[in-house]
Coordinates of all heavy atoms in Angstrom, one line a residue:
S3 N -9.5 5.4 -14.5 CA -9.4 4.1 -14.0 C -8.0 3.5 -14.3 O -7.4 4.0 -15.3 CB -10.5 3.1 -14.4 OG -11.7 3.5 -13.9
A4 N -7.7 2.5 -13.6 CA -6.5 1.6 -13.9 C -7.0 0.3 -13.7 O -6.6 -0.4 -12.7 CB -5.3 2.0 -13.1
A5 N -7.9 -0.2 -14.6 CA -8.8 -1.4 -14.4 C -8.0 -2.6 -14.4 O -8.5 -3.6 -14.0 CB -9.9 -1.4 -15.4
F6 N -6.7 -2.7 -14.9 CA -6.0 -3.9 -14.9 C -4.8 -3.9 -13.8 O -4.0 -4.6 -13.8 CB -5.3 -4.0 -16.3 CG -6.3 -4.0 -17.4 CD1 -6.6 -2.8 -18.1 CD2 -6.9 -5.2 -17.7 CE1 -7.6 -2.8 -19.2 CE2 -8.0 -5.1 -18.7 CZ -8.2 -4.0 -19.5
M7 N -5.0 -3.0 -12.9 CA -4.1 -3.0 -11.8 C -4.9 -3.0 -10.4 O -5.8 -2.4 -10.2 CB -3.3 -1.6 -11.7 CG -2.4 -1.4 -10.5 SD -1.1 -2.6 -10.2 CE -0.1 -2.3 -11.7
R8 N -4.4 -4.0 -9.6 CA -4.9 -4.2 -8.2 C -4.2 -3.4 -7.2 O -3.0 -3.4 -7.3 CB -5.1 -5.6 -7.9 CG -6.0 -6.4 -8.8 CD -6.2 -7.8 -8.4 NE -7.1 -8.6 -9.4 CZ -8.4 -8.6 -9.4 NH1 -9.0 -7.7 -8.5 NH2 -9.0 -9.3 -10.3
Y9 N -4.9 -2.9 -6.2 CA -4.2 -2.2 -5.0 C -3.1 -3.0 -4.5 O -2.0 -2.5 -4.2 CB -5.2 -1.7 -4.1 CG -6.1 -0.6 -4.5 CD1 -7.4 -0.8 -5.0 CD2 -5.7 0.7 -4.4 CE1 -8.2 0.2 -5.4 CE2 -6.4 1.8 -4.8 CZ -7.7 1.5 -5.3 OH -8.5 2.6 -5.7
N10 N -3.4 -4.3 -4.3 CA -2.4 -5.1 -3.5 C -1.1 -5.3 -4.3 O -0.2 -5.8 -3.8 CB -3.0 -6.5 -3.1 CG -3.6 -7.3 -4.3 OD1 -3.3 -7.0 -5.3 ND2 -4.3 -8.3 -3.9
R11 N -1.1 -5.0 -5.6 CA 0.1 -5.1 -6.4 C 1.1 -4.1 -6.0 O 2.3 -4.1 -6.3 CB -0.2 -5.0 -7.9 CG 0.9 -5.4 -8.9 CD 1.2 -6.9 -8.7 NE 2.5 -7.3 -9.3 CZ 2.5 -7.7 -10.5 NH1 1.4 -7.9 -11.3 NH2 3.8 -8.1 -11.0
L12 N 0.7 -3.0 -5.2 CA 1.6 -2.0 -4.7 C 2.6 -2.5 -3.7 O 3.4 -1.8 -3.2 CB 0.8 -0.8 -4.2 CG -0.2 -0.1 -5.2 CD1 -0.9 0.8 -4.5 CD2 0.7 0.4 -6.4
R13 N 2.3 -3.8 -3.3 CA 3.3 -4.4 -2.4 C 4.7 -4.5 -3.0 O 5.7 -4.5 -2.5 CB 2.9 -5.8 -2.0 CG 1.5 -5.9 -1.3 CD 1.1 -7.4 -1.2 NE -0.2 -7.6 -0.6 CZ -1.0 -8.6 -0.7 NH1 -0.6 -9.7 -1.6 NH2 -2.1 -8.8 -0.2
D14 N 4.7 -4.6 -4.4 CA 5.9 -4.7 -5.2 C 6.7 -3.5 -5.1 O 7.9 -3.6 -5.5 CB 5.5 -5.0 -6.6 CG 4.9 -6.4 -6.8 OD1 4.8 -7.1 -5.8 OD2 4.5 -6.7 -8.0
I15 N 6.2 -2.3 -4.7 CA 7.0 -1.1 -4.6 C 7.2 -0.8 -3.0 O 7.5 0.4 -2.8 CB 6.3 0.0 -5.3 CG1 4.9 0.4 -4.8 CG2 6.4 -0.1 -6.8 CD1 4.3 1.6 -5.5
G16 N 7.1 -1.8 -2.3 CA 7.5 -1.6 -0.8 C 6.4 -1.3 0.1 O 6.6 -0.9 1.3
L17 N 5.1 -1.1 -0.4 CA 4.1 -0.7 0.5 C 3.4 -2.0 1.2 O 3.2 -3.1 0.6 CB 3.0 0.0 -0.2 CG 3.4 1.4 -0.8 CD1 2.3 1.9 -1.7 CD2 3.7 2.4 0.3
T18 N 3.0 -1.8 2.5 CA 2.4 -2.8 3.2 C 0.9 -2.9 2.9 O 0.3 -1.8 2.6 CB 2.6 -2.7 4.7 OG1 2.1 -1.6 5.2 CG2 4.1 -2.7 4.9
D19 N 0.2 -3.9 3.3 CA -1.3 -4.0 3.0 C -1.9 -2.8 4.0 O -2.9 -2.2 3.5 CB -1.8 -5.3 3.6 CG -1.5 -6.4 2.6 OD1 -1.0 -6.0 1.5 OD2 -1.7 -7.6 2.8
K20 N -1.4 -2.6 5.1 CA -1.9 -1.5 6.0 C -1.8 -0.2 5.4 O -2.7 0.7 5.5 CB -1.2 -1.6 7.4 CG -1.8 -0.6 8.4 CD -1.1 -0.7 9.8 CE -1.7 0.3 10.8 NZ -1.0 0.3 12.1
Q21 N -0.5 0.1 4.9 CA -0.3 1.4 4.2 C -1.2 1.6 3.0 O -1.8 2.7 2.8 CB 1.1 1.5 3.9 CG 2.1 1.6 4.9 CD 3.6 1.5 4.5 OE1 4.0 0.8 3.6 NE2 4.5 2.3 5.1
I22 N -1.4 0.6 2.2 CA -2.3 0.7 1.1 C -3.8 1.0 1.5 O -4.4 1.9 1.0 CB -2.2 -0.6 0.2 CG1 -0.8 -0.9 -0.3 CG2 -3.3 -0.6 -0.9 CD1 -0.7 -2.2 -0.9
A23 N -4.2 0.2 2.5 CA -5.6 0.3 3.0 C -5.9 1.7 3.6 O -6.9 2.3 3.4 CB -5.9 -0.8 4.0
E24 N -4.8 2.2 4.3 CA -5.1 3.5 5.0 C -4.9 4.7 4.3 O -5.4 5.7 4.5 CB -4.1 3.6 6.2 CG -4.6 2.5 7.4 CD -3.6 2.5 8.6 OE1 -2.7 3.3 8.5 OE2 -4.0 1.9 9.6
N25 N -4.0 4.6 3.2 CA -3.7 5.8 2.4 C -4.0 5.8 1.0 O -4.1 7.0 0.4 CB -2.1 5.9 2.6 CG -1.6 6.1 4.0 OD1 -2.0 6.9 4.7 ND2 -0.7 5.1 4.3
L26 N -4.4 4.7 0.5 CA -4.6 4.7 -1.0 C -6.0 4.2 -1.5 O -6.4 4.4 -2.6 CB -3.5 3.9 -1.8 CG -2.1 4.4 -1.5 CD1 -1.0 3.5 -2.1 CD2 -1.8 5.9 -2.1
T27 N -6.6 3.4 -0.7 CA -8.0 2.9 -1.1 C -9.1 3.7 -0.7 O -9.9 3.4 0.2 CB -8.1 1.4 -0.5 OG1 -8.0 1.5 0.9 CG2 -7.1 0.4 -1.1
F28 N -9.2 4.8 -1.4 CA -10.4 5.7 -1.0 C -11.7 5.3 -1.8 O -12.7 5.6 -1.2 CB -10.0 7.2 -1.5 CG -8.8 7.7 -1.0 CD1 -7.7 8.2 -1.9 CD2 -8.5 7.6 0.3 CE1 -6.6 8.7 -1.3 CE2 -7.3 8.2 0.9 CZ -6.5 8.7 0.1
A29 N -11.6 4.5 -2.9 CA -12.8 4.1 -3.5 C -13.3 2.7 -3.1 O -14.4 2.4 -3.6 CB -12.5 4.2 -5.0
T30 N -12.5 2.0 -2.4 CA -12.9 0.8 -1.9 C -12.3 0.4 -0.5 O -11.4 1.1 -0.1 CB -12.4 -0.3 -2.9 OG1 -12.8 -1.6 -2.6 CG2 -10.9 -0.3 -3.1
D31 N -12.7 -0.6 0.1 CA -12.2 -1.1 1.4 C -11.5 -2.4 1.2 O -11.1 -3.0 2.2 CB -13.2 -1.2 2.5 CG -14.4 -2.1 2.0 OD1 -14.4 -2.6 0.9 OD2 -15.3 -2.3 2.9
K32 N -11.3 -2.8 0.0 CA -10.7 -4.1 -0.3 C -9.4 -3.9 -1.1 O -9.5 -3.4 -2.3 CB -11.6 -5.1 -1.0 CG -12.9 -5.4 -0.3 CD -13.8 -6.4 -1.1 CE -15.1 -6.7 -0.3 NZ -15.9 -7.5 -1.1
I33 N -8.2 -4.3 -0.6 CA -7.0 -4.0 -1.5 C -6.9 -5.0 -2.6 O -5.9 -4.8 -3.4 CB -5.8 -4.1 -0.5 CG1 -5.6 -5.5 0.0 CG2 -5.9 -3.0 0.6 CD1 -4.3 -5.7 0.7

């Protein structure tokens, strides 16, 4: 796990919410 990191923090490295949701959130549907 990376329990202190939220998926939506990946915006800081240039990813959009759509890119995060479609490509990285396999274990959840909430970024």
Side-chain angles (χ1 to χ4, degrees):
S3 292
F6 301 99
M7 171 61 63
R8 296 187 184 278
Y9 287 97
N10 56 13
R11 193 64 192 265
L12 298 177
R13 298 166 183 161
D14 293 355
I15 58 174
L17 295 173
T18 65
D19 288 352
K20 182 178 180 182
Q21 289 173 322
I22 296 170
E24 291 180 353
N25 301 304
L26 299 175
T27 53
F28 302 128
T30 180
D31 56 355
K32 298 178 181 178
I33 65 170

